[in-house]
């Protein structure tokens, strides 16, 4: 992997990196790679020792996260030889931070309630486009057709008062107008112009959870003083939204290093469902921490 161990450093700031897993399964080799990548970017042998490494538990999705997976994250990372700062921030303990950001965006007139179900959205898109293959798709799925953006204040209130669950969406056109042109610096791609419009009116607070991945991760990276976000290139598109949220909410912009993903011997991407690849299985099968670090590319 060409970008192995060549992270950029933010100017004049100690490097602060993080590994931010969701406890929805056991960590696999791909996670070991991401964790070791972040760790080495802050604490690698050639750095001056001022770097900091943070572990954050991204557990907003109560339906999918399990305490036993969180416990396993700590055990597996410690077994691999990583050390992180205490206390560990758990997103589910800090929902008030996300709520106040939503309040702020709402006061700026950039959010609207969306009462649509998935089926409503699909039907609306198909009615408008005639055929599913004509549907514009963004990184998180089909672009929302804007149905609930058209509702009057009275309709919104009536639906909310009647107990219909709603998500909060970002009014992307207004948000972009408020933010202006934006860019970020990526270690692999250099200066990247932000194109948050590729997401359409993205959900910032889900119906079942009063926040979302995009909102929580952006706020937490700021609150925890992260200066270099390292993560897999599968999350590269998400940075378009994160950069916009930083601007709208007055948050710091870290540098980014979207790294390649570790693939299995047969070329497939490693995923949580590949049970045989979990760190615990490797450990139970007699591999040592240095074996696993070597398999993840960090001997
Ligand atoms: N929690 C996310 C995941 O497990 C990673 C978030 C990030 O690195 O931005 O995929």
């Amino acid at each position: 992997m060409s970008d192995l161990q060549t992270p950029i450093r933010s100017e004049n700031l100690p490097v602060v990196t993080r590994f931010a897993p969701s406890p929805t399964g056991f960590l696999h080799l791909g996670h070991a790679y991401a964790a070791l990548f972040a760790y080495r970017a802050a604490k690698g042998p050639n750095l001056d020792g001022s770097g900091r490494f943070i572990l954050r538990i991204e557990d907003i999705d109560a339906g999918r996260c399990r305490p036993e997976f969180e416990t396993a994250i700590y055990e597996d990372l410690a077994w691999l030889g990583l050390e992180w700062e205490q206390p560990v921030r758990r997103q589910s303990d800090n929902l008030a931070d996300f709520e106040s950001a939503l309040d702020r965006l709402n006061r700026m007139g950039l959010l609207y309630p969306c009462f649509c179900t998935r089926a409503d959205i699909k039907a609306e898109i198909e009615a408008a486009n005639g055929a599913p293959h004509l549907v514009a798709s963004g990184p998180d799925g089909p672009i929302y057709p804007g149905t609930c953006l058209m509702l009057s204040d009275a309709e919104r209130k009536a639906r909310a008062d009647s107990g219909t669950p709603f998500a909060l969406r970002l009014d992307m056109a207004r948000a972009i107008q408020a933010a202006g042109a934006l860019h970020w610096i990526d270690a692999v791609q250099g200066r990247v112009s932000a194109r948050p419009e590729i997401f359409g009116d993205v959900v910032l607070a889900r119906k079942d959870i009063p926040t979302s991945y995009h909102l929580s991760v952006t706020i937490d990276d700021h609150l925890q003083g992260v200066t270099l976000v390292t993560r897999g290139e599968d999350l590269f598109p998400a940075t378009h939204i994160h950069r916009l949220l930083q601007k709208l909410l007055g948050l710091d912009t870290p540098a980014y290093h979207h790294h390649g993903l570790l693939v299995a011997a047969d070329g497939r991407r490693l995923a949580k469902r590949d049970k045989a690849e979990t760190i615990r299985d490797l450990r139970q099968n007699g591999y040592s921490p240095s074996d696993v670090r070597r398999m993840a590319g960090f001997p």
Side-chain angles (χ1 to χ4, degrees), residues 96-277:
D97 290 325
F98 312 136
E99 200 181 317
S100 52
L102 288 168
D103 268 359
R104 182 165 168 176
L105 293 170
N106 201 29
R107 275 185 272 112
M108 293 165 79
L110 299 178
L111 297 182
Y112 64 92
C114 174
F115 302 90
C116 293
T117 61
R118 274 174 208 264
D120 293 336
I121 296 174
K122 191 164 175 277
E124 177 82 19
I125 290 175
E126 284 178 12
N129 294 280
H133 67 276
L134 295 176
V135 171
S137 209
D140 285 351
I143 303 282
Y144 180 64
T147 323
C148 287
L149 183 59
M150 312 305 164
L151 296 179
S152 66
D153 285 348
E155 280 171 309
R156 284 175 183 163
K157 186 171 179 325
R159 290 208 200 180
D161 288 352
S162 75
T164 310
F166 59 87
L168 292 175
R169 289 187 182 272
L170 185 67
D171 181 337
M172 185 56 77
R174 290 183 80 159
I176 288 175
Q177 204 173 31
L182 299 168
H183 73 276
W184 77 83
I185 303 299
D186 188 274
V188 179
Q189 301 213 10
R191 189 181 193 277
V192 183
S193 295
R195 293 191 301 117
E197 63 276 13
I198 60 175
F199 283 83
D201 290 356
V202 70
V203 168
L204 291 188
R206 287 165 44 171
K207 282 182 184 173
D208 54 336
I209 304 169
T211 183
S212 58
Y213 160 66
H214 294 304
L215 186 72
S216 314
V217 80
T218 308
I219 290 170
D220 281 351
D221 283 336
H222 168 81
L223 291 178
Q224 296 195 284
V226 173
T227 61
L228 174 63
V229 170
T230 68
R231 60 184 171 202
E233 63 194 9
D234 55 328
L235 285 171
F236 185 92
T239 308
H240 292 289
I241 288 287
H242 303 176
R243 182 66 192 94
L244 175 65
L245 293 174
Q246 286 156 5
K247 174 71 179 183
L248 296 172
L249 291 166
L251 311 177
D252 297 331
T253 303
Y256 288 85
H257 191 153
H258 295 96
H259 53 69
L261 299 173
L262 209 61
V263 289
D266 60 4
R268 282 180 313 123
R269 192 180 146 189
L270 295 174
K272 281 183 183 158
R273 62 181 172 279
D274 294 323
K275 198 169 168 295
E277 324 270 14

